[in-house]
């Protein structure tokens, strides 16, 4: 379930970022990375965890629009 939680947090971070909540988005993304790091350390033979970790580290959050 930790993998699914991490993916959900990553996607939630994207939504929060798009909604103009950069700190909440960054917090969720950091939590996703922590969960996936734990899984990679606990199960180094599971390639899926490593792939999801890389995808999550590469997630791009929206930049705040200063004109709003």
């Amino acid at each position: 379930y930790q993998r699914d939680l991490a993916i959900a947090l990553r996607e939630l971070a994207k939504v929060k970022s798009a909604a103009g909540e950069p700190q909440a988005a960054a917090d969720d993304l950091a939590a996703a990375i922590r969960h996936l790091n734990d899984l990679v350390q606990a199960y180094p033979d599971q390639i899926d965890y490593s792939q999801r970790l890389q995808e999550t580290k590469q997630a791009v959050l929206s930049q705040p629009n200063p004109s709003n």
Side-chain angles (χ1 to χ4, degrees):
Y1 299 107
Q2 292 296 314
R3 175 191 167 277
D4 293 340
L5 173 60
I7 292 169
L9 284 168
R10 180 185 68 207
E11 296 306 310
L12 182 59
K14 292 178 187 178
V15 171
K16 286 182 179 179
S17 178
E21 300 177 32
Q23 187 58 53
D27 292 345
D28 287 343
L29 192 60
I33 290 171
R34 280 193 306 274
H35 284 291
L36 289 166
N37 271 327
D38 290 347
L39 287 171
V40 167
Q41 289 179 4
Y43 306 99
D45 294 336
Q46 292 292 324
I47 300 300
D48 181 59
Y49 297 152
S50 296
Q51 290 172 339
R52 299 298 177 190
L53 178 59
Q54 290 307 311
E55 290 171 5
T56 302
K57 286 182 176 180
Q58 293 172 356
V60 177
L61 301 180
S62 301
Q63 297 300 314
N65 186 346
S67 64
N68 285 343

